[in-house]
């Protein structure tokens, strides 16, 4: 049951934006929106890493292009993922 990240993104961006503007600035709410967007980016990058990792050799012939693309998608998410508590 994959999350449709494209449907969740606009409300998160809008929530963060509303809490950044004018006198209604709320640092905690902006931080919450930022954390949610990091999660959305990580989900998207991991999905792409899996997709292109499979395409690198999934058809029976090796593709440097797809291997590189999958590796770079993984690198884009691995920094955020490394911040999670390893005990949980």
């Amino acid at each position: 049951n994959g999350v449709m990240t494209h449907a969740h993104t606009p409300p998160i961006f809008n929530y963060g934006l509303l809490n950044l503007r004018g006198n209604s600035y709320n640092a905690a709410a902006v931080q919450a929106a930022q954390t949610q967007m990091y999660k959305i980016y990580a989900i998207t990058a991991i999905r792409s890493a899996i997709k292109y990792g499979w395409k690198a050799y999934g058809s029976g012939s090796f593709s440097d292009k797809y291997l590189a693309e999958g590796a770079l998608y993984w690198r884009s998410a691995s920094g955020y993922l490394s911040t999670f508590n390893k005990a949980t």
Side-chain angles (χ1 to χ4, degrees):
N1 296 345
V3 172
M4 303 301 255
T5 56
H6 66 280
H8 290 279
T9 303
I12 296 169
F13 272 128
N14 288 333
Y15 179 73
L17 184 62
L18 288 173
N19 287 288
L20 278 173
R21 290 187 168 167
N23 295 332
S24 64
Y25 177 76
N26 182 337
V30 171
Q31 180 64 39
Q34 181 180 6
T35 300
Q36 290 302 314
M37 282 311 304
Y38 283 156
K39 290 178 181 179
I40 296 284
Y41 291 147
I43 290 168
T44 303
I46 290 167
R47 287 178 177 170
S48 296
I50 292 168
K51 174 184 174 181
Y52 288 103
W54 183 86
K55 286 180 102 173
Y57 196 71
S59 63
S61 61
F62 180 71
S63 171
D64 290 345
K65 175 181 123 177
Y66 289 135
L67 178 67
E69 193 160 351
L72 292 177
Y73 275 118
W74 169 249
R75 292 285 294 169
S76 71
S78 64
Y80 173 68
L81 296 173
S82 71
T83 65
F84 293 134
N85 186 342
K86 292 171 183 42
T88 59

